[in-house]
Amino acid sequence: MGFGRGKVILLGEHAVVHGCPAIAVGIERGVTASASTAERNILRLSPWGLAIEPDPSGGEPLERAFAAALALYPERPALEVSAEVELPAGAGLGCSAAIGVAALDAIDEALSIQRSRTELAEAALVWERIFHGNPSGIDNAMSAVGGVALYRKGEPLQPLRSNKPLHLVIGYSGESSSTKEMVASVARQLEDDPKRVNKAFEAIEVLVRNAKLAIEAGDHIALGQLLDLNHTILSSLMLCTSKLDEMCQAARAAGALGAKMTGAGGGGCMIALAPKQDQALRLCEVLGQDAFVAEVSA
Ligand code: PMV
């Protein structure tokens, strides 16, 4: 069985596209996939009921991504890949990367190809490029490797260690957005006003560096404050929606140590850091029926 996890960016999204570090966690929810030889190449995605044929110049990103994935295996039989997606799409949880990682993992298994999870992450970048244009690589890296890690474009993941688990709650705004468009919007702002946007990136980098220390020290009060500050900077880059802001405020009022949007923004998900497991469950109730708890050990 192939598996690709979902991921949550704790801090540093968007700035990571421009070379700053970010901290992300792999979550238990993700995508499982299996592959077997078949009469023709086909990718089935449930629960969406999609059957995708590979086409390098197809109109659908999934057609092009599947073609790019198959091209990594020049000599192979036709393959049917079936993937079960447990993540909302366009929600900032790295759904597209998780499908790519799970599909490649399943194909490797069907063809008895051995590769490390790091090599799998690198291979899945061909998939992610089709969806995101200019991906930092954080989604496919976290999807394949998991844990809690500091990531900087072009560098290996740096796993972070802590003896205190993170009690995260992930809330979904119900609004989907396009990562490609949100990344392009930040790129436009950078071009129009480099001084302002570079300052925002520098501030985010400081927050990420302090968050690394807070995670390693198990100081979740400090980490929560850093999440709140990161949310404010992302708002200044026009990435938040009023729904995401409302959810973050509701989480803080209900006892979260900190809360922020996560991923591309413009909709999608937010995260809240709970002091303890039982409080995480309480926050879940406040954040609505799609909210779930992700307990992450570093
Ligand atoms: O919304 P997601 O899960 O696709 O996360 C995107 C994270 C960005 O930093 C906005 C883009 C990237 O490639 O790192």
Side-chain angles (χ1 to χ4, degrees):
M1 201 52 106
F3 183 58
R5 304 166 178 277
K7 70 92 198 39
V8 168
I9 297 184
L10 285 185
L11 300 100
E13 53 273 88
H14 284 287
V16 69
V17 174
H18 301 274
C20 298
I23 296 175
V25 305
I27 59 175
E28 285 304 308
R29 265 194 210 198
V31 178
T32 46
S34 60
S36 54
T37 53
E39 281 185 0
R40 63 194 173 107
N41 292 310
I42 191 136
L43 169 66
R44 295 189 191 282
L45 291 168
S46 64
W48 303 331
L50 290 177
I52 307 290
E53 296 198 22
D55 181 352
S57 51
E60 284 297 321
L62 275 168
E63 293 170 343
R64 300 198 300 278
F66 189 33
L70 292 175
L72 294 173
Y73 306 86
E75 283 177 34
R76 49 152 185 87
L79 291 167
E80 173 162 340
V81 181
S82 300
E84 178 76 40
V85 184
E86 279 189 338
L87 299 166
L93 300 184
C95 180
S96 61
I99 298 174
V101 167
L104 290 182
D105 195 20
I107 297 174
D108 282 354
E109 190 180 298
L111 302 180
S112 303
I113 293 170
Q114 308 284 336
R115 59 175 133 197
S116 67
R117 295 299 285 184
T118 304
E119 288 164 345
L120 180 63
E122 280 162 18
L125 198 56
V126 297
W127 179 287
E128 202 46 2
R129 277 208 186 99
I130 290 178
F131 281 88
H132 290 178
N134 177 25
S136 63
I138 193 168
D139 282 16
N140 43 300
M142 289 314 296
S143 179
V145 179
V148 183
L150 188 109
Y151 175 84
R152 193 194 274 270
K153 207 168 175 175
E155 292 179 11
L157 274 183
Q158 187 184 334
L160 303 187
R161 300 270 167 251
S162 164
N163 51 15
K164 210 166 159 187
L166 294 167
H167 303 288
L168 292 175
V169 181
I170 299 166
Y172 181 42
S173 67
E175 308 158 323
S176 72
S177 78
S178 153
T179 299
K180 204 170 179 168
E181 279 168 27
M182 300 316 288
V183 168
S185 143
V186 174
R188 267 196 309 276
Q189 293 179 57
L190 181 62
E191 208 179 302
D192 293 349
D193 193 348
K195 210 168 154 196
R196 172 181 72 89
V197 178
N198 278 319
K199 270 206 172 126
F201 290 163
E202 277 164 30
I204 290 173
E205 175 151 2
V206 172
L207 298 181
V208 168
R209 300 226 163 273
N210 286 332
K212 173 180 180 287
L213 300 177
I215 290 168
E216 287 171 340
D219 185 348
H220 292 183
I221 293 180
L223 181 61
Q225 288 166 347
L226 295 164
L227 295 179
D228 288 346
L229 290 168
N230 195 173
H231 181 80
T232 306
I233 300 174
L234 292 167
S235 291
S236 78
L237 294 171
M238 289 172 287
L239 297 163
C240 292
T241 63
S242 39
K243 175 78 185 166
L244 285 169
D245 274 332
E246 257 168 45
M247 291 172 81
C248 290
Q249 273 161 22
R252 289 181 201 118
L257 298 173
K260 67 180 270 293
M261 57 153 270
T262 185
C269 288
M270 50 72 69
I271 51 171
L273 179 65
K276 292 207 175 94
Q277 197 176 22
D278 52 344
Q279 277 146 308
L281 294 171
R282 159 98 191 89
L283 284 177
C284 244
E285 284 164 23
V286 170
L287 292 173
Q289 56 169 6
D290 293 321
F292 63 97
V293 176
E295 197 170 295
V296 183
S297 296

